[in-house]
Amino acid sequence: MGERRMVEQWLAWPTGCDPGVLSRALAGARDRFLGTGTAGGPVRRVVAESWRRSAASGIDPDRHETPVELTDDTLRELRADHELAAAMPVVRRLLVETAGLDRLIVAVGDADGRLLWVEGDRQLRARAESMHFLAGSNWGERHAGTNAVGMALAVDHGVQVFGAEHFASRVVPWSCSAAPVHDPDTGEVLGFVDVTGGDQVAAPHALALVRATALAVETELRVQRLARPRPVVAPEPVQLTVCGDLGRLRLPHRSVELSPRHAELLLVLSEHPAGRSAEQLAVALYPDSTATVTVRAELSRLRALLPELALRSRPYRLGRPVRTDLAQARALLARGSWRRALALAGLPVLARSQAPEVVALRADLAAQLRSAVLASRDATALARFADSELGVGDTEVVRATLAALPADSPRRREYAVRLARLDAELGAGGRATRMQRWRS
């Protein structure tokens, strides 16, 4: 009996129920919840929990509009980039080809709840657009309230939502069944498959069909991966130069001067060979960390511009090794070869960039170089660092350079004048340095 109840929590219609009677009871229970915050009667526990999450998200059930997040260009790019694109023929064969006969809408989307493909009965789709159920909209639970897409992703299980089980009022006339689709190798949620329509979509067999389709999609992805040819020889790494104002990529047969954003993207990806999600890249590149769609668009452009890098997704990572002068300088410092490191990386890392991770990498390398040069007490190295963009205004480095220079050096007066000026600017005996410049 316990197993049966566990199965039935995902089904909209309990065994032996009358859908008409259940629909009226659910409408009353929904009204009571919206008035009192208490869920009872025929409301399934999984639905009640979703209602509470929806209310906590601040969704107004009577006024809320599901957001449409993707423009046509971005939608096309995401479709082309998404792994589920390769399995859409399976979805169309199992669901879409009969959707018109069954009066169904079939939706497939990503792990964030965004609808990437919406197909099926044309008249029904036209009606559904009034509640923003269309390609490019986000039906994640915190964006749309209780619905099968959002719940399936929230609980990572196939589930149905019947009529008044929806949180937003404009969705109450509809029913839906959805199931998550997982990466066949890692188990990570890649997206979802959903059918939406009238009451018949809440029947038990509808969920069984959707779950079977999700499993077929996962199987298709595994088969396609096994069929891919595997490279026998790893490609040679390409060189990315990031010390200076601009980034430059040197490929076997050409050299490319990169845009500031592409240089930042390649630097961050080279620092994380295992890959980064679009959300992680947004945090790394934008101070407000909300530009996930912009990041995906830039990655799509980068893939087209530099096919040699074999940029991969889910997570985003470089398919070809990229060697940076930043990483080389760090390796030299680790071996104690600070002179070579200073010669290689005497300019700030992407000096004009304000991307948070780039700022941090820039400051870290500058600090490592500075510490190594100060510890060396080598007059030539100290003078070189003091004259570079990294140390030109660094009081401690200038002071150490002056102390290390021979008494008869013709440059002693130059550094003495500079030190006096810096002390005057920063206050007598000031110990501040320009390191803060490379952190901002």
Side-chain angles (χ1 to χ4, degrees):
M1 184 65 74
E3 281 187 28
R4 180 173 171 180
R5 277 198 296 269
M6 285 186 65
V7 171
E8 286 192 342
Q9 72 171 320
W10 310 114
L11 299 173
W13 296 353
T15 302
C17 87
D18 180 325
V21 173
L22 177 61
S23 178
R24 290 188 291 273
L26 285 171
R30 178 177 179 275
D31 288 341
R32 285 191 296 276
F33 176 83
L34 296 179
T36 67
T38 302
V43 181
R44 291 175 285 159
R45 179 171 57 85
V46 68
V47 172
E49 291 171 353
S50 177
W51 282 356
R52 295 187 188 101
R53 290 193 298 268
S54 300
S57 296
I59 293 175
D60 184 329
D62 295 322
R63 296 184 178 85
H64 180 73
E65 286 194 357
T66 299
V68 179
E69 295 183 347
L70 306 177
T71 63
D72 289 344
D73 288 345
T74 305
L75 179 61
R76 279 193 293 271
E77 290 169 355
L78 289 180
R79 282 174 174 168
D81 189 44
H82 203 283
E83 281 206 70
L84 293 185
M88 279 304 295
V90 173
V91 177
R92 293 185 177 108
R93 191 161 57 247
L94 295 177
L95 294 177
V96 177
E97 288 179 6
T98 60
L101 297 175
D102 295 334
R103 297 280 289 166
L104 298 177
I105 301 173
V106 178
V108 176
D110 64 15
D112 295 325
R114 293 177 299 192
L115 311 188
L116 300 183
W117 293 270
V118 179
E119 303 180 12
D121 186 88
R122 290 186 179 181
Q123 292 182 345
L124 211 58
R125 276 189 288 149
R127 280 180 51 205
E129 288 182 3
S130 66
M131 62 174 182
H132 288 184
F133 195 85
L134 71 168
S137 59
N138 191 325
W139 282 75
E141 203 174 60
R142 65 187 181 91
H143 295 284
T146 301
N147 71 94
V149 168
M151 284 177 63
L153 295 174
V155 301
D156 195 12
H157 199 284
V159 69
Q160 294 179 305
V161 176
F162 175 42
E165 289 181 326
H166 288 97
F167 190 77
S169 299
R170 67 177 57 196
V171 196
V172 166
W174 300 80
S175 293
C176 44
S177 294
V181 177
H182 300 89
D183 186 295
D185 296 321
T186 67
E188 175 191 7
V189 174
L190 296 177
F192 62 87
V193 176
D194 167 88
V195 294
T196 293
D199 290 355
Q200 82 278 15
V201 178
H205 72 271
L207 183 58
L209 178 58
V210 169
R211 293 185 66 185
T213 301
L215 288 172
V217 167
E218 293 169 6
T219 300
E220 176 67 14
L221 292 176
R222 180 178 292 279
V223 169
Q224 290 188 17
R225 288 181 186 182
L226 290 173
R228 289 174 189 166
R230 298 189 178 185
V232 178
V233 180
E236 287 294 317
V238 296
Q239 181 68 40
L240 174 63
T241 301
V242 293
C243 292
D245 287 344
L246 301 174
R248 179 172 289 278
L249 189 69
R250 191 168 69 247
L251 298 160
H253 303 295
R254 62 184 179 128
S255 182
V256 180
E257 187 172 292
L258 301 166
S259 71
R261 189 59 78 198
H262 286 171
E264 292 166 348
L265 272 169
L266 285 181
L267 173 57
V268 172
L269 289 173
S270 72
E271 290 286 304
H272 302 280
R276 277 289 183 263
S277 68
E279 292 75 16
Q280 289 172 319
L281 288 171
V283 171
L285 297 180
Y286 293 90
D288 60 6
S289 73
T290 60
T292 304
V293 172
T294 302
V295 164
R296 287 196 174 102
E298 289 290 353
L299 286 162
S300 181
R301 284 189 279 271
L302 186 63
R303 179 184 283 112
L305 177 67
L306 298 168
E308 299 97 328
L309 297 182
L311 183 63
R312 299 170 183 168
S313 57
R314 305 291 172 181
Y316 290 104
R317 59 202 185 279
L318 297 170
R320 180 170 189 160
V322 171
R323 181 175 52 212
T324 68
D325 50 351
L326 166 62
Q328 291 171 287
R330 283 199 303 247
L332 289 168
L333 286 169
R335 295 200 300 267
S337 301
W338 50 265
R339 288 186 180 87
R340 291 176 61 194
L342 182 60
L344 182 67
L347 295 172
V349 174
L350 297 180
R352 299 178 186 176
S353 172
Q354 297 300 308
E357 185 161 338
V358 176
V359 170
L361 291 169
R362 179 194 304 146
D364 182 66
L365 179 62
Q368 289 186 56
L369 286 168
R370 180 178 183 273
S371 295
V373 171
L374 284 172
S376 74
R377 299 186 180 180
D378 181 281
T380 301
L382 283 163
R384 181 169 183 172
F385 192 84
D387 293 341
S388 72
E389 289 188 49
L390 297 174
V392 68
D394 189 320
T395 305
E396 187 174 354
V397 170
V398 175
R399 195 184 308 277
T401 304
L402 184 60
L405 286 170
D408 60 349
S409 171
R411 300 201 67 188
R412 286 186 61 83
R413 176 174 174 74
E414 173 190 339
Y415 288 105
V417 171
R418 190 192 301 181
L419 181 61
R421 187 184 73 248
L422 289 172
D423 280 342
E425 291 174 354
L426 301 172
R431 306 292 292 173
T433 74
R434 292 188 67 188
M435 291 300 293
Q436 288 300 321
R437 172 181 172 185
W438 309 117
R439 296 183 184 274
S440 61

